Amino acid sequence: MEKVPMYLVTVLLFALACSLASASDPSPLQDFCVAINSSILLASTLGISLARIDFVPYGVNSPHLHPLGTEITMVVEGTLYVGFVTSDTDNRLFTKVLNKGDVFVFPIGHIHFEFNVGKTNAVAFAGFSSQNLRVITIADAVFGSNPPINFDVLTKAFQVDKNVINYLEQQFK
């Protein structure tokens, strides 16, 4: 008998949880949706979400946060360097290198990232404690805002020259 891959077990457990959960919606499973966008697979229902994230070698999921839910990530292929920054005044960074089968939890509202440190593709599944996966990517929000944040604010906040801010904003337009 062939061994069942761990990622398949995760997906099956997710499906089982969805079928057993209840919600105030008269037909909770009508909210189930799966969408493929680039290399991310999303499934949202009953107050939880699941995403599959495919990383190319040295690919990065840029620093971002989820204001509405905690994230738990499991690597099913490859090696990821992951971390989050605490939201207190210490701004303490917690990191770990994750290999196949390893799991890491990113607390709700904390800035975090994932980086494929391997020379091969990596795949991870991320579960979220919210049906609304809302993502705020830090660089996009700061340097890609519309209208742009005033140069004086950004040069003072980042303690850099106006030309640096201008260059960064051009990367996000």
Side-chain angles (χ1 to χ4, degrees), residues 14 48-51 69-74 125-130 133:
F14 175 76
I48 60 174
S49 300
L50 179 70
T70 294
E71 176 181 341
I72 183 167
T73 297
M74 182 177 89
F125 280 94
F128 302 89
S129 64
S130 173
L133 187 58

Side-chain angles (χ1 to χ4, degrees), residues 16-97:
L16 177 63
C18 290
S19 68
L20 295 176
S22 62
S24 60
D25 191 340
S27 179
L29 292 181
Q30 75 184 8
D31 292 337
F32 186 79
C33 67
V34 175
I36 297 175
N37 182 357
S38 183
S39 61
I40 298 178
L41 167 73
L42 297 174
S44 297
T45 188
L46 306 174
I48 60 174
S49 300
L50 179 70
R52 174 187 165 142
I53 309 165
D54 294 282
F55 294 86
V56 296
Y58 307 107
V60 66
N61 191 359
S62 300
H64 64 282
L65 61 92
H66 306 282
L68 303 176
T70 294
E71 176 181 341
I72 183 167
T73 297
M74 182 177 89
V75 175
V76 295
E77 181 182 320
T79 303
L80 295 178
Y81 170 67
V82 302
F84 71 88
V85 179
T86 61
S87 58
D88 57 18
T89 56
D90 293 339
N91 293 319
R92 186 164 175 207
L93 175 64
F94 289 88
T95 63
K96 183 169 174 79
V97 174

